[in-house]
Structure formats: C-alpha cells, structure tokens
C-alpha cells in the first residue's frame, strides 16, 4: 500500500502514465497527474481517481523545461509536504525514416525522452535526500535493446534513459 505517499507521474493524462496514476491512487497514494497538452484529458484522469475514492490533482508542466519542473516540484512540496515517488513517464516516439529526419525532430524526442527525465531527477533527488528517502522510476522501452526500423531518435533516447537510470 502507498498510504499517504505523494507521487508525481509525468505524462499521466493518457496511456501508461494514466494507468500508473490510477493504480497508485487505488493503493492510496496522492497523485499529481502531470500533463503538458490536454488539460481535459488530465482532468478526466483526476476525475476518475476522485470518483474511485482516491486523491489526485492535475498539474500542467512541460517537463522539457527545467524551470517549469523545478516550479512543479516546489509546488508539490509546499502543498503536500513531500515527494515520495517520481515516475518519469512522459515521452514521445516517431517512425520517421533516417533520411527524412531533421535535427529539430531528433532534438524534440531527445528533449522530452531524456532531458526531461534529468530535469525531474535533479530537484527531486535533493528533496528526497532532505526528507530521508523516496523512489524514482524511469520508463524505457525494449527498443533500447532491439532498435526499430524507423524513428532512430526513439531507441536512441530510450538507450540514454537506461544509462541515466
């Protein structure tokens, strides 16, 4: 059980992140549903959690921005007193062929899939050390090992996540 633990799940407005957020809430954690895109999708996840008896709040933050991430972490500590769990889940994939790639596309994937994880870890580690512990979970992918036929930035980024972890 995660009773009274405070968890931040990045990219939690849909997919794996939403499922993780709901599962943590089902196990009595207070969940911060981080999103960068659709407020409506994030609020839907929060509503589902609350209707099931859980505690959750949506927080908009572009995790590729260190300053925004730091503000989110400070807000969570000010509001809830601690951060017990950080799930770095936000990410994007693509399937562009290598000869059609642009430097901007590659940078966008690396910024969200790698830089964002570092951005979230840095302030959180300091917070967790001060409070005496916590848990950071970084999501990766099998393509970090096996690759994929197109979309070179995605397996590259997930390999970097493995190294960072």
């Amino acid at each position: 059980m995660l009773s009274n633990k405070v968890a931040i799940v990045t990219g939690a407005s849909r997919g794996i992140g939403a499922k993780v957020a709901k599962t943590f809430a089902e196990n009595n954690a207070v969940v911060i549903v981080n999103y960068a895109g659709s407020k409506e999708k994030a609020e839907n996840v929060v509503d589902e959690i609350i209707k099931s008896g859980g505690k959750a709040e949506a927080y908009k933050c572009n995790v590729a921005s260190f300053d925004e991430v730091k503000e989110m972490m400070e807000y969570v500590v000010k509001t809830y007193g601690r951060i017990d769990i950080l799930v770095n889940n936000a990410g994007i994939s693509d399937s562009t062929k290598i000869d059609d790639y642009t430097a901007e596309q590659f940078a966008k994937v690396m910024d969200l899939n790698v830089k964002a994880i570092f951005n979230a870890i840095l302030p959180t580690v300091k917070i967790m050390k001060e409070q005496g512990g916590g848990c950071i979970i970084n999501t990766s992918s099998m393509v970090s090992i096996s690759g994929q036929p197109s979309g070179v930035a995605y397996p590259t980024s997930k390999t970097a996540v493995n190294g960072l972890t």
Side-chain angles (χ1 to χ4, degrees):
M1 296 295 274
L2 300 173
S3 294
N4 301 315
K5 299 291 185 187
V6 178
I8 299 171
V9 182
T10 69
S13 64
R14 62 186 179 88
I16 293 169
K19 181 63 177 169
V20 169
K22 292 173 190 175
T23 301
F24 281 9
E26 288 169 7
N27 286 279
N28 301 315
V30 175
V31 182
I32 309 306
V33 175
N34 162 252
Y35 71 101
S38 170
K39 181 177 184 177
E40 182 180 348
K41 287 181 181 178
E43 291 292 346
N44 287 342
V45 173
V46 168
D47 290 345
E48 285 183 47
I49 290 170
I50 291 170
K51 285 178 186 170
S52 297
K55 298 175 186 172
E57 173 181 355
Y59 191 101
K60 184 173 186 170
C61 168
N62 173 4
V63 288
S65 165
F66 180 77
D67 290 338
E68 287 189 38
V69 172
K70 189 172 181 229
E71 287 175 18
M72 177 173 66
M73 300 308 176
E74 289 170 353
Y75 168 81
V76 172
V77 170
K78 183 179 178 184
T79 305
Y80 298 97
R82 60 188 302 108
I83 300 171
D84 297 293
I85 303 164
L86 168 64
V87 179
N88 284 309
N89 171 72
I92 54 173
S93 180
D94 75 15
S95 57
T96 304
K97 294 179 182 174
I98 187 71
D99 52 340
D100 293 331
Y101 246 89
T102 65
E104 293 79 17
Q105 282 176 285
F106 190 85
K108 182 178 178 182
V109 173
M110 296 301 286
D111 281 353
L112 186 55
N113 293 6
V114 181
K115 182 181 170 188
I117 290 175
F118 178 79
N119 288 347
I121 288 172
L122 197 59
T124 305
V125 163
K126 292 174 184 175
I127 292 164
M128 288 179 173
K129 280 181 125 178
E130 287 175 10
Q131 70 189 23
C135 179
I136 298 173
I137 301 166
N138 301 324
T139 59
S140 185
S141 170
M142 289 303 296
V143 301
S144 67
I145 298 166
S146 61
Q148 63 186 28
S150 295
V152 68
Y154 185 69
T156 302
S157 70
K158 293 305 182 175
T159 300
V161 169
N162 295 349
L164 180 58
T165 302

